Amino acid sequence: MALFKFFWSLRAPHRFLHQAKRYLASPIASHYEAINRGEKEVPEYFNFASDVMDKWTELEKEGKNPQRTVFWWVNNQKEEVKWSYEDLGVLSRKAANVLSGPCGLQRGDRVLMVLPRIPEWWLLVLACTRAGIVFIPGTSQLTAKDIAYRLQASKAKCIVVSETLAPGVDSIASECKSLRTKLLVSDRGRDGWLNFKDLLQTASANHSCVKTRSEDVLAMYFTSGTTGTPKMVAHSHCSYGIGLTISGRVCMQLSPSAILWNLSDPGWVKAAWNCVFSPWMRGACVFVHHLPQFEPTVILNTLASYPITTFCAPPTGYRMLVQLDLTRYKFMSLSLCVTGGEPLNPEVYENWKKQTGLDIYEGYGQTETVAICMNRKGMKIKPGSMGMPSPPYDVQIIDDQGNIQGPGKEGDIAIRIKPKRPFPLFSQYVDDPKKTAASERGDFYSTGDRGFKDEDGYFWFVGRSDDVINSSGYRIGPFEVESALQEHPAVVESAVVSSPDPARGEVVKAFVVLSPAFSSHDPEKLIKELQDHVKKATAPYKYPRKIEFVQELPKTVTGKVLRSVLRKQEWEKI
């Protein structure tokens, strides 16, 4: 922490963020928005560090943009880190020299970064970008086995972790033949590890950013693994660096006066989307709370105590927040709430809106994409809908042969890739050409998600293709049943899957996490009550013929419910 305070003391006196309101939207962002809209071609060369971050620093030095905080980190101990574009430039150059110097990494090498919400993660993302090194984020919830799989699959030469995960890495390091360097982010040293904080202090701040082609690989992410082994997805420099420009303005309304707090763990793609590329392209301030665990009261107190204008949380987060009395909190600066990562239940939306007066704008995307669809200010919100397509994507609903389906017809949510593949779409599943080819159907990339489009052009999520339940000739999406269950006060969370049935082939089964207030109720009576509730809330044939109460649901490390685990559990009973 002393290092960060030292660099903060070197910068010019901080000017309040509201001064940025005097400045028009960034000409940097405007240029790249035109590329998203197809009005300009993707440049041959692009690097976010030099073409965006360093350009902002130049504007600051020329007096065309006020020097101000664009990274603001806090923790429960009231410690703070505040950096301007210039600060980020100096520190990320030093970090780049650490990677290319003591760590021995070269352009194109891969680094697995498994860090909590600490400032070093942001420095290392920018450092990798500057040095042309491919960064591979992972969540701190990964086990040693998870880390071993990722190191082996990615052939990463370096791993960066905090002190907590170091023993686990040591236990599997010998199994990872490509691993050469272990970099520790800690105030203390550890045998066999380089210490990032010590090396950063002594590193030179002089570093020439590499010249990267737009299509060069910037980052690789492992998918959530909801339907199988996590796949490794490659994104290019232009995919994230340019492809997220539109969503930053249209979906999140970001400007130099905005302060965005996104709850995403650094291992999730949304951390890169909404904590790095979208906000800094738009000149907004990224707010980060260390938040080791999801604590609803801490989140609400933070929203009430800091001038946060834009808040992004997963639907699971909103579900937990609306369990509390939100009317006790006054969010004086908050003007926009967004969500994504999984469908938002309409009941949660209505509850949040009733208690805070604020809408929740839902977006939809995947590890393989940037934002595909979104709701935005000025649109009529249809609770439960993912909104409308975002440029440059042409989004359609297709059948098994790749034919476009009309309004109201269910099919696979797909993105047109012929005659021209959208540049924000992932490059490939790394080292797996068969899975890459299998994701294409005719002129489209199939997301693997089922949905439909209504008469107004809004898209609606039904479920993963493997999650759809076929019962007595009816196709039933789990999300609609889960949303109906969510409306009942007894239900905190639920997961709906198929379960074998001798008469119908398969039926709907719901695994339900109960609210503590209902834990002592008679189980049989409560099951009947929930079944009747679903019959009234949605089509009667969709009600769960089986209900099982559980303490928790199996989830991926990114917090998504693993329906595949529950479904497998059911079908193995045969």
Side-chain angles (χ1 to χ4, degrees):
M1 191 60 64
L3 175 68
F4 301 134
K5 291 181 179 177
F6 168 73
F7 272 98
W8 180 245
S9 69
L10 293 181
R11 71 186 295 277
H14 176 59
R15 300 179 185 179
F16 292 104
L17 282 165
H18 69 259
Q19 289 183 341
K21 293 180 180 178
R22 297 187 290 109
Y23 291 78
L24 297 174
S26 163
I28 301 170
S30 298
H31 171 72
Y32 293 117
E33 280 187 35
I35 296 173
N36 274 259
R37 293 191 297 266
E39 298 165 6
K40 295 182 179 180
E41 290 296 318
V42 175
E44 182 179 0
Y45 295 94
F46 177 80
N47 186 289
F48 187 80
S50 60
D51 294 325
V52 176
M53 301 299 288
D54 291 350
K55 294 296 183 185
W56 275 111
T57 300
E58 290 175 15
L59 291 174
E60 287 180 346
K61 291 180 176 179
E62 294 170 2
K64 297 177 182 178
N65 188 61
Q67 189 180 49
R68 58 200 162 78
T69 297
V70 292
F71 178 82
W72 187 357
W73 179 92
V74 303
N75 64 13
N76 285 334
Q77 288 71 50
K78 305 297 183 184
E79 294 176 308
E80 291 190 337
V81 174
K82 291 183 176 181
W83 289 330
S84 68
Y85 280 112
E86 184 176 1
D87 298 326
L88 285 164
V90 171
L91 289 168
S92 64
R93 289 185 184 92
K94 289 168 71 70
N97 282 324
V98 170
L99 296 177
S100 57
C103 293
L105 299 173
Q106 300 178 356
R107 177 175 180 164
D109 286 343
R110 300 169 182 175
V111 176
L112 180 62
M113 300 194 308
V114 188
L115 294 171
R117 298 177 185 88
I118 55 177
E120 288 85 355
W121 184 83
W122 280 261
L123 294 184
L124 285 162
V125 166
L126 292 176
C128 287
T129 306
R130 289 188 181 282
I133 294 168
V134 179
F135 64 89
I136 310 171
T139 173
S140 295
Q141 298 177 51
L142 293 175
T143 65
K145 181 180 178 181
D146 294 328
I147 291 173
Y149 170 77
R150 283 157 175 76
L151 284 171
Q152 292 163 357
S154 68
K155 301 179 178 64
K157 291 185 178 180
C158 176
I159 186 169
V160 189
V161 300
S162 59
E163 195 170 338
T164 305
L165 290 179
V169 174
D170 283 337
S171 72
I172 52 88
S174 62
E175 305 170 19
C176 307
K177 304 305 180 184
S178 298
L179 185 62
R180 298 286 181 270
T181 305
K182 296 181 292 184
L183 189 60
L184 184 68
V185 181
S186 172
D187 292 325
R188 298 185 296 180
R190 183 179 178 88
D191 289 343
W193 292 74
L194 297 177
N195 189 286
F196 177 73
K197 290 187 177 182
D198 291 345
L199 294 171
L200 188 69
Q201 282 188 311
T202 58
S204 169
N206 295 319
H207 181 275
S208 297
C209 186
V210 301
K211 190 175 184 180
T212 51
R213 292 184 178 276
S214 289
E215 67 269 19
D216 287 348
V217 178
L218 166 72
M220 296 190 334
Y221 277 87
F222 285 86
T223 61
S224 297
T226 52
T227 58
T229 304
K231 298 183 287 289
M232 194 162 49
V233 175
H235 276 282
S236 66
H237 279 264
C238 67
S239 174
Y240 274 7
I242 302 176
L244 289 161
T245 310
I246 288 285
S247 60
R249 178 179 65 82
V250 175
C251 182
M252 293 185 288
Q253 302 283 302
L254 297 177
S255 70
S257 62
I259 302 177
L260 167 63
W261 184 20
N262 172 33
L263 294 188
S264 292
D265 182 285
W268 305 0
V269 292
K270 273 213 307 176
W273 295 9
N274 295 351
C275 293
V276 180
F277 297 101
S278 286
W280 284 340
M281 176 67 84
R282 301 289 309 165
C285 175
V286 173
F287 181 89
V288 183
H289 194 300
H290 185 230
L291 207 66
Q293 295 179 325
F294 190 95
E295 300 178 60
T297 55
V298 172
I299 292 170
L300 295 173
N301 282 321
T302 302
L303 286 171
S305 302
Y306 292 89
I308 296 160
T309 62
T310 310
F311 178 59
C312 180
T316 300
Y318 283 106
R319 282 200 294 270
M320 295 176 71
L321 292 176
V322 297
Q323 301 295 316
L324 304 180
D325 181 6
L326 302 180
T327 60
R328 295 173 50 205
Y329 300 87
K330 302 299 180 185
F331 309 138
M332 302 304 292
S333 301
L334 188 61
S335 60
L336 186 68
C337 302
V338 296
T339 193
E342 57 180 329
L344 177 70
N345 302 97
E347 175 68 13
V348 176
Y349 168 85
E350 297 293 352
N351 199 334
W352 179 268
K353 170 79 170 179
K354 180 180 178 181
Q355 293 195 67
T356 67
L358 295 166
D359 292 301
I360 301 175
Y361 294 86
E362 183 174 357
Y364 165 72
Q366 292 186 312
T367 307
E368 291 89 341
T369 70
V370 296
I372 298 172
C373 292
M374 62 181 72
N375 287 278
R376 47 192 175 269
K377 280 199 170 182
M379 283 177 57
K380 174 186 176 182
I381 291 183
K382 297 184 178 184
S385 165
M386 63 179 71
M388 295 183 179
S390 170
Y393 291 130
D394 176 1
V395 185
Q396 301 290 343
I397 301 297
I398 62 171
D399 64 14
D400 292 342
Q401 286 71 48
N403 301 310
I404 296 174
Q405 301 297 285
K409 291 188 176 181
E410 182 188 314
D412 284 350
I413 302 169
I415 296 170
R416 188 183 296 278
I417 56 174
K418 295 177 183 178
K420 187 175 182 180
R421 187 181 181 91
F423 70 88
L425 193 60
F426 77 115
S427 309
Q428 60 177 316
Y429 291 121
V430 181
D431 299 330
D432 201 336
K434 288 185 178 180
K435 284 186 178 177
T436 303
S439 69
E440 300 179 4
R441 190 182 307 162
D443 293 343
F444 294 91
Y445 158 73
S446 175
T447 63
D449 288 334
R450 302 285 292 181
F452 65 92
K453 180 173 67 173
D454 67 18
E455 294 285 351
D456 298 323
Y458 286 69
F459 282 74
W460 299 78
F461 182 85
V462 172
R464 290 292 299 174
S465 296
D466 290 348
D467 289 337
V468 174
I469 303 161
N470 293 290
S471 182
S472 299
Y474 291 103
R475 292 176 59 82
I476 303 166
F479 175 63
E480 189 172 4
V481 183
E482 291 166 1
S483 293
L485 286 166
Q486 188 70 40
E487 295 175 6
H488 195 284
V491 179
V492 173
E493 271 191 307
S494 66
V496 168
V497 300
S498 66
S499 180
D501 181 81
R504 295 176 175 84
E506 56 186 77
V507 295
V508 177
K509 177 169 181 177
F511 292 84
V512 174
V513 178
L514 287 176
S515 167
F518 286 80
S519 59
S520 60
H521 284 221
D522 180 86
E524 294 303 318
K525 289 184 179 179
L526 191 52
I527 286 173
K528 181 67 166 57
E529 184 178 330
L530 290 174
Q531 290 174 327
D532 290 342
H533 169 77
V534 174
K535 288 178 183 178
K536 294 175 182 176
T538 186
Y541 69 85
K542 297 180 181 180
Y543 86 93
R545 294 178 180 272
K546 301 179 183 179
I547 294 180
E548 181 177 334
F549 299 123
V550 294
Q551 294 297 312
E552 59 182 4
L553 301 174
K555 295 180 180 179
T556 69
V557 292
T558 58
K560 293 183 180 179
V561 174
L562 280 165
R563 293 194 190 97
S564 58
V565 171
L566 297 172
R567 184 171 59 247
K568 182 181 179 182
Q569 174 183 308
E570 284 299 297
W571 286 86
E572 285 181 345
K573 294 178 182 178
I574 299 177

